[in-house]
Amino acid sequence: MSLLKYESTLREPLVDGDKDYHQVSEDICRPIEVKPLKSWYVGFGISVLLLLFGVYSIYRDVTYGIGQWNLNRTIGWGWDITNFVWWVGIGHAGTLISAILLLFRQGWRTGVNRAAEAMTIFAVMCAGQFPIWHMGRVWIAFFVMPYPNTRGPVWVNFNSPLLWDVFAISTYFTVSLLFWYSGLLPDLATLRDRAKTKFRKFFYGLTSFGWSGSTKHWQRFEALALVLAGLSAPLVLSVHTIVSMDFATSVIPGWHTQIFPPYFVAGAIFSGFAMVQTLLIITRKVLRLEDYITIGHIEAMNKVIVMTGSIVGCAYLTELFIAWYSGNPYEYDAFYKYRIAGPYVWAYWTMMTCNVVSPQLFWSAKLRRNIQFTFIMSVVVNIGMWFERFVIIVTSLYRDYLPSSWSTFYRPTIWEVGFFMGTIGLFFTCYFLFAKYFPVIAVAEIKAVLKTSGENFKRGMEGIEKESVDEFVHKHAPSEHGH
């Protein structure tokens, strides 16, 4: 008779080490309850300095106008929209990990979803600033909101994908924020119960909304998670599809293409997972969470990166083929004269190297499981994805239909660069504060998978696994009296 088998030998454990429920709470809550390390202060200080530089750059923009930037009548979208699309793309991986992997019951999401969700919130906060400050007259930014007003016939243009961006990104941010915060409630209650000072007990008690861990609370919690995941999953696809329509609905060569929606979605997931890797590799080392963010988690995300990177590479080659096959001289020139060659050739080939060639190295299992190599590659991918947005925007615009409006070369000013660096500072300032005052890993969700991955529980099952099916049934079958 065959023996019982409790766990597949082909799957890596989701939690390493000899952990029990108490040890999980100790390991994940300890960084919040103790004084931050020196490395935290250094990183936080650098982030705040970058943020202040960005604030000053925005001050100059508002005071003197966007003439502070090197925009001209040909390249009206420069670094600001490049960075907007880049940040929106980074925000995609959080909702993908949280929502779609939850719906597909992927257990490996538990170690990485909390940091990814927080990354989504912070990235969308950074992205939303670029279109607002690009308006110049930022005090009338509320004009983009379609509400009953006394401005007569002055209404928003519902045919414009720029307005669709307002709806898509605000909806995405709201649902992602609810998903992130509702998932925090059990862990905030854990911190409340462990608090040793009145302020901490009050703060975590207030933010946990009276969570008691009752059966009714857990039922509502799980039902809400599924509802929000169901809402978030189509948003992952729709948001960057709508961002791509900012370009695809125009008649500019290099933009006017139907491949943009799936191409942009794949690129967003590609860059988002790379940023998650960057954050998690640093987090697992600094907070000593290697047992919860394992090599298996890193490898699973690298598999997603190589898949989406291959899709992006296929899209690049499709663009080149269609530009040649269509016989359209303007389309041909946009790709073959002004991207592959021309003044911005360095940007195009940087993009191709980082986004198409480098991810293919992850076909090697040894490299997929190498932490140092993965960290370097995650940074390389995000550099490449930034160059992709730069290439799409600048190289498609700098040679317009009219020779009189041709721009010889576009380069950003220090204030454009400062604005971008300021959003990087904002992102990491928020992430450092999040990592200090909230659990970076979902304590409750890790405990939920511990019975199938914890060494303690595996040892408890060893005796049962050695039993035959008949022995197990005989031991655990109901008695004759029905007990």
Side-chain angles (χ1 to χ4, degrees):
M1 184 60 69
S2 61
L3 299 178
L4 295 170
K5 187 60 186 170
Y6 174 64
E7 185 184 32
S8 169
T9 56
L10 300 177
R11 293 183 179 177
E12 288 187 72
L14 298 173
V15 181
D16 287 337
D18 196 7
K19 308 291 183 185
D20 55 23
Y21 291 140
H22 174 70
Q23 190 62 47
V24 170
S25 298
E26 285 293 322
D27 290 345
I28 298 175
C29 294
R30 187 183 299 114
I32 303 168
E33 296 169 340
V34 300
K35 189 176 179 182
L37 298 173
K38 221 176 252 187
S39 56
W40 185 90
Y41 284 110
V42 171
F44 182 70
I46 293 171
S47 301
V48 171
L49 288 175
L50 289 175
L51 175 58
L52 293 175
F53 182 34
V55 169
Y56 181 68
S57 299
I58 292 172
Y59 160 76
R60 290 190 63 94
D61 168 38
V62 174
T63 304
Y64 302 107
I66 59 173
Q68 293 285 291
W69 299 350
N70 260 349
L71 303 180
N72 52 51
R73 62 181 177 178
T74 307
I75 302 178
W77 283 6
W79 264 49
D80 51 340
I81 304 300
T82 299
N83 297 326
F84 162 70
V85 181
W86 187 72
W87 276 119
V88 172
I90 284 176
H92 262 60
T95 304
L96 183 79
I97 290 173
S98 299
I100 295 180
L101 297 186
L102 173 63
L103 294 174
F104 282 96
R105 303 297 184 186
Q106 295 297 304
W108 63 269
R109 71 178 282 277
T110 54
V112 300
N113 68 312
R114 177 65 54 72
E117 291 167 16
M119 183 196 75
T120 291
I121 307 299
F122 307 146
V124 174
M125 286 167 52
C126 294
Q129 295 186 55
F130 287 97
I132 293 173
W133 299 110
H134 187 183
M135 293 177 182
R137 298 181 177 90
V138 69
W139 46 89
I140 58 173
F142 64 90
F143 273 33
V144 300
M145 303 304 296
Y147 62 93
N149 60 75
T150 58
R151 298 196 294 270
V154 182
W155 279 83
V156 292
N157 181 9
F158 288 98
N159 293 323
S160 171
L162 294 174
L163 181 65
W164 307 345
D165 277 345
V166 174
F167 286 102
I169 292 174
S170 59
T171 305
Y172 181 64
F173 178 78
T174 303
V175 173
S176 298
L177 183 64
L178 289 172
F179 198 26
W180 171 69
Y181 192 79
S182 62
L184 272 170
L185 292 177
D187 296 351
L188 293 173
T190 299
L191 291 169
R192 173 199 66 199
D193 297 338
R194 293 170 55 94
K196 296 179 181 178
T197 65
K198 287 184 178 180
F199 176 76
R200 291 176 69 88
K201 188 170 283 292
F202 168 78
F203 174 74
Y204 290 116
L206 183 67
T207 53
S208 62
F209 288 162
W211 177 274
S212 65
S214 65
T215 303
K216 181 59 74 175
H217 280 187
W218 278 110
Q219 286 175 341
R220 289 171 176 167
F221 173 82
E222 291 176 3
L224 177 64
L226 285 175
V227 169
L228 290 175
L231 290 172
S232 301
L235 280 174
V236 172
L237 304 177
S238 68
V239 171
H240 227 55
T241 296
I242 291 172
V243 170
S244 76
M245 290 178 182
D246 295 345
F247 308 99
T249 54
S250 72
V251 294
I252 302 294
W255 289 3
H256 188 65
T257 172
Q258 292 177 326
I259 201 175
F260 265 21
Y263 157 31
F264 268 52
V265 170
I269 296 169
F270 182 49
S271 61
F273 266 81
M275 182 60 86
V276 172
Q277 291 281 47
T278 304
L279 293 176
L280 286 179
I281 289 172
I282 296 173
T283 300
R284 76 191 289 272
K285 184 67 176 175
V286 173
L287 301 184
R288 300 184 183 124
L289 297 173
E290 291 90 347
D291 290 340
Y292 302 97
I293 306 171
T294 66
I295 301 295
H297 290 100
I298 302 296
E299 183 180 22
M301 289 194 287
N302 282 337
K303 289 177 180 178
V304 177
I305 288 174
V306 73
M307 179 190 72
T308 50
S310 299
I311 295 172
V312 169
C314 182
Y316 293 161
L317 298 178
T318 302
E319 283 186 315
L320 292 173
F321 172 75
I322 293 300
W324 166 78
Y325 186 72
S326 66
N328 185 327
Y330 301 104
E331 199 77 19
Y332 182 90
D333 287 356
F335 283 92
Y336 288 92
K337 288 187 178 179
Y338 307 135
R339 286 191 184 179
I340 289 181
Y344 294 101
V345 61
W346 51 274
Y348 182 81
W349 288 108
T350 300
M351 173 194 80
M352 292 293 283
T353 304
C354 294
N355 295 346
V356 180
V357 178
S358 61
Q360 304 310 314
L361 297 173
F362 279 139
W363 286 104
S364 165
K366 185 176 180 181
L367 294 178
R368 276 200 312 270
R369 299 176 65 85
N370 186 300
I371 297 295
Q372 292 79 12
F373 181 77
T374 297
F375 179 76
I376 293 169
M377 286 302 303
S378 68
V379 175
V380 166
V381 165
N382 267 308
I383 291 172
M385 288 307 294
W386 186 92
F387 273 104
E388 179 206 281
R389 279 62 183 247
F390 180 82
V391 165
I392 288 172
I393 291 166
V394 174
T395 63
S396 299
L397 288 176
Y398 93 105
R399 286 287 172 135
D400 205 346
Y401 290 106
L402 296 175
S404 60
S405 64
W406 286 357
S407 173
T408 54
F409 200 77
Y410 164 79
R411 59 173 61 85
T413 65
I414 184 65
W415 309 119
E416 286 176 272
V417 176
F419 186 10
F420 177 50
M421 299 306 291
T423 56
I424 292 177
L426 173 63
F427 178 83
F428 282 102
T429 298
C430 292
Y431 189 80
F432 276 115
L433 291 173
F434 162 73
K436 178 63 190 80
Y437 295 106
F438 297 96
V440 176
I441 295 176
V443 179
E445 295 188 32
I446 288 291
K447 290 179 179 179
V449 301
L450 199 60
K451 281 195 173 181
T452 57
S453 288
E455 295 296 331
N456 275 329
F457 296 95
K458 287 182 189 176
R459 282 199 300 270
M461 294 300 295
E462 283 177 0
I464 296 175
E465 287 182 343
K466 293 176 183 177
E467 296 176 359
S468 68
V469 175
D470 289 340
E471 291 172 339
F472 180 82
V473 171
H474 179 72
K475 277 187 180 180
H476 299 281
S479 66
E480 294 179 1
H481 300 288
H483 296 297

